[in-house]
């Protein structure tokens, strides 16, 4: 069964702290994505990567950076956590234009 | 704009069919229509996708209008486990999906 694994299910950080999220997929997919989900706003694309060391900005890249050093791993860094309502971070992978497989998500709370 | 338009919420009785509509009036000829659903506290999961013809799988059916400007996801017999947010997505480019806010389906026992 195909799998996308996110490093943490729940995360609590203090305002201003750096946040590091990691995503690993075992399907040899070329494409990987990071989305953020906030209440009432649906899923918004932060960054995506279509190959190792390649990345492109999505709709809300400000304050974030990403890293893809290996095909199976896509990391997201939030440079400075801010006190927004709790957000869900979702990682996904896909093979070319076929369907996405999502991870279970990381719920980030900033205090 | 690559976003689709869906009703915010719908209700259905258990074991009755549910028709979830989606408008994608600016869809291009090569864009697929994809449906995903998100159960509470989980990531979205694939339901079905299609290009022009109607599609069936074990989870649902997808009816696509002849002009491709709208589609309908059909759950033939809704169960309580089908309560979720359903997203209709048009393929924007070769691999980038743009999600709207989806339709929250409530299933009544």
């Amino acid at each position: 069964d195909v799998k996308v694994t996110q490093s943490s299910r729940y995360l609590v950080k203090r305002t201003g702290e750096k946040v590091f999220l990691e995503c690993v997929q075992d399907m040899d997919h070329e494409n990987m994505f990071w989305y953020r989900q906030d209440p009432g706003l649906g899923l918004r694309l932060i960054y995506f990567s279509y190959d190792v060391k390649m990345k492109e900005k999505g709709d809300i890249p400000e304050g974030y950076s990403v890293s893809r050093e290996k095909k199976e791993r896509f990391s997201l860094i939030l440079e400075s956590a801010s006190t927004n309502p709790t957000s869900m971070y979702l990682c996904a992978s896909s093979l070319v234009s076929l369907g996405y497989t999502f991870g279970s998500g990381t719920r980030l709370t900033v205090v | 704009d690559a976003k689709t338009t869906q009703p915010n919420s719908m209700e259905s009785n258990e074991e009755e069919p549910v028709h979830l509509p989606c408008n994608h009036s600016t869809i291009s000829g090569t864009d697929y229509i994809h449906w995903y659903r998100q159960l509470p506290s989980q990531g979205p999961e694939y339901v079905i996708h299609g290009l022009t013809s109607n599609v069936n799988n074990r989870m649902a059916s997808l009816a696509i209008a002849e002009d491709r400007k709208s589609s309908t996801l059909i759950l033939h017999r809704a169960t309580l486990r089908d309560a979720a947010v359903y997203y209709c997505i048009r393929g924007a480019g070769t691999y980038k999906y743009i999600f709207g806010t989806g339709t929250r389906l409530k299933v009544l026992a």
Side-chain angles (χ1 to χ4, degrees):
Chain A
D1 209 13
V2 295
K3 248 191 167 165
V4 175
T5 305
Q6 295 186 225
S7 51
S8 307
R9 195 88 161 97
Y10 300 94
L11 213 50
V12 179
K13 291 289 182 182
R14 296 190 186 281
T15 304
E17 279 190 320
K18 201 166 189 172
V19 183
F20 182 82
L21 301 176
E22 193 162 67
C23 175
V24 179
Q25 50 101 357
D26 64 1
M27 298 163 282
D28 203 34
H29 284 173
E30 289 94 355
N31 306 315
M32 295 188 76
F33 308 83
W34 276 106
Y35 283 87
R36 189 174 107 190
Q37 186 171 32
D38 296 303
L41 292 176
L43 280 77
R44 292 181 291 169
L45 183 63
I46 306 172
Y47 267 98
F48 64 101
S49 167
Y50 50 90
D51 202 352
V52 175
K53 297 194 187 294
M54 307 300 285
K55 61 185 180 186
E56 281 196 31
K57 293 180 181 179
D59 299 318
I60 52 165
E62 296 79 18
Y64 298 93
S65 60
V66 290
S67 169
R68 187 141 180 231
E69 296 296 318
K70 292 185 178 181
K71 192 175 187 180
E72 68 270 17
R73 201 174 292 265
F74 193 33
S75 303
L76 177 74
I77 298 119
L78 172 55
E79 300 294 339
S80 176
S82 62
T83 46
N84 283 328
T86 296
S87 297
M88 172 83 94
Y89 287 85
L90 288 156
C91 175
S93 73
S94 77
L95 185 66
V96 195
S97 60
L98 298 180
Y100 281 22
T101 301
F102 280 87
S104 299
T106 297
R107 195 170 291 279
L108 173 66
T109 301
V110 182
V111 297
Chain B
D1 187 3
K3 276 193 186 171
T4 58
T5 305
Q6 299 176 254
N8 286 332
S9 62
M10 291 184 67
E11 275 187 10
S12 171
N13 293 318
E14 202 177 6
E15 299 196 4
E16 287 188 358
V18 183
H19 290 230
L20 298 165
C22 179
N23 283 320
H24 28 79
S25 56
T26 59
I27 196 167
S28 73
T30 55
D31 282 349
Y32 278 79
I33 299 147
H34 305 261
W35 283 82
Y36 283 75
R37 72 178 186 182
Q38 187 173 20
L39 302 170
S41 300
Q42 293 187 29
E45 62 176 357
Y46 169 82
V47 177
I48 202 165
H49 77 282
L51 184 62
T52 54
S53 307
N54 295 344
V55 184
N56 300 296
N57 66 21
R58 62 174 181 82
M59 285 180 77
S61 295
L62 176 60
I64 301 171
E66 209 169 310
D67 62 6
R68 298 205 338 119
K69 292 186 177 182
S70 66
S71 61
T72 303
L73 178 72
I74 302 161
L75 307 179
H76 296 285
R77 286 180 69 222
T79 70
L80 296 177
R81 286 174 295 183
D82 292 322
V85 178
Y86 286 78
Y87 296 98
C88 165
I89 302 149
R90 48 171 277 202
T94 56
Y95 43 75
K96 193 173 79 168
Y97 291 176
I98 296 175
F99 285 76
T101 51
T103 297
R104 184 172 297 277
L105 175 66
K106 190 174 178 180
V107 180
L108 306 172

